[in-house]
Amino acid sequence: DEIGQIAFKGIKELNRIQTVVYPTAYHSNENLLICAPTGAGKTNIAMLTIVNSIRAHTDQGMIHRDQFKIVYVAPMKALAAEMTANFSKRLKPLGILVRELTGDMQLTKTEMHETQILVTTPEKWDVVTRKGTGDVSLISLVKLLIIDEVHILHGERGPVIEALVARTLRLVESSQSMIRIVGLSATLPNY
């Protein structure tokens, strides 16, 4: 469709793993865990789920940018900056605003409100979503949570990722809203 063509401009075809997950990533709201080697195209799978969310908030060709937020959690600030640049370039023609929210980058309430995709680190999103300090109106707009390098669950930062997922699941239950969770990982022996 038109939105997908804009986001995937210049890409002629999907590779094998992207083709296998395409129906679920692009046409459903199912949670996903994508385990594939580096360079296998996990970023394009993330983009399929992002475009799915954008399409869900589009009515008669108009994107309702104030009705949704997408959060992309990347473990390192360098990766967060890279993804912000990548997504910004690809989604700019759609008027989708992508901003980085890491330890270095502070965003005002207005900037947060204007932004559709927040690219952040686990620790920063943990702070934003903590009960009491969290911006409830912002958090309630999150429709898609993408966690890149989700295999860091096994490391010392694992508990932060676990807390983010648990908090998101609790929010889904308490608000009866749909928040899709997508985990991206290098190949995992024990997925």
Side-chain angles (χ1 to χ4, degrees):
D1 54 63
E2 194 181 350
I3 294 175
Q5 287 177 14
I6 291 168
F8 284 85
K9 187 173 185 236
I11 296 172
K12 300 276 182 255
E13 59 185 17
L14 299 175
N15 68 20
R16 186 178 294 162
I17 187 168
Q18 294 161 353
T19 302
V20 169
V21 302
Y22 169 80
T24 307
Y26 202 72
H27 294 293
S28 84
N29 276 323
E30 283 181 53
N31 293 339
L32 293 169
L33 174 60
I34 306 297
C35 304
T38 304
K42 293 187 289 288
T43 302
N44 273 344
I45 294 172
M47 184 59 85
L48 288 170
T49 64
I50 289 169
V51 173
N52 177 55
S53 283
I54 295 169
R55 284 168 49 238
H57 295 90
T58 302
D59 186 30
Q60 296 175 337
M62 181 153 159
I63 300 170
H64 298 286
R65 293 172 185 81
D66 57 344
Q67 293 180 355
F68 69 98
K69 297 270 184 254
I70 295 167
V71 178
Y72 189 100
V73 178
M76 294 159 299
K77 285 188 275 192
L79 181 60
E82 183 186 320
M83 297 320 274
T84 302
N86 180 335
F87 293 152
S88 291
K89 183 177 157 204
R90 291 173 68 177
L91 297 171
K92 189 176 185 179
L94 293 169
I96 299 294
L97 195 54
V98 184
R99 284 203 170 107
E100 183 182 342
L101 180 64
T102 57
D104 303 343
M105 306 277 189
Q106 295 299 322
L107 296 177
T108 64
K109 274 226 189 290
T110 307
E111 286 173 327
M112 293 274 259
H113 180 73
E114 293 168 347
T115 305
Q116 285 78 49
I117 302 179
L118 289 166
V119 183
T120 184
T121 57
E123 291 76 12
K124 191 70 174 186
W125 190 242
D126 184 45
V127 169
V128 172
T129 58
R130 276 181 193 262
K131 200 170 181 71
T133 57
D135 181 345
V136 180
S137 62
L138 166 81
I139 296 161
S140 66
L141 286 173
V142 174
K143 305 297 179 201
L144 173 61
L145 174 64
I146 301 170
I147 304 172
D148 202 349
E149 310 286 347
V150 77
H151 53 269
I152 67 168
L153 258 173
H154 186 62
E156 58 190 40
R157 296 167 77 194
V160 180
I161 299 281
E162 204 171 330
L164 294 179
V165 173
R167 203 172 296 135
T168 303
L169 293 174
R170 193 171 65 231
L171 181 64
V172 167
E173 282 176 15
S174 66
S175 66
Q176 292 299 301
S177 62
M178 172 66 214
I179 303 174
R180 184 181 199 181
I181 301 174
V182 175
L184 305 174
S185 174
T187 46
L188 288 174
N190 61 342
Y191 62 87

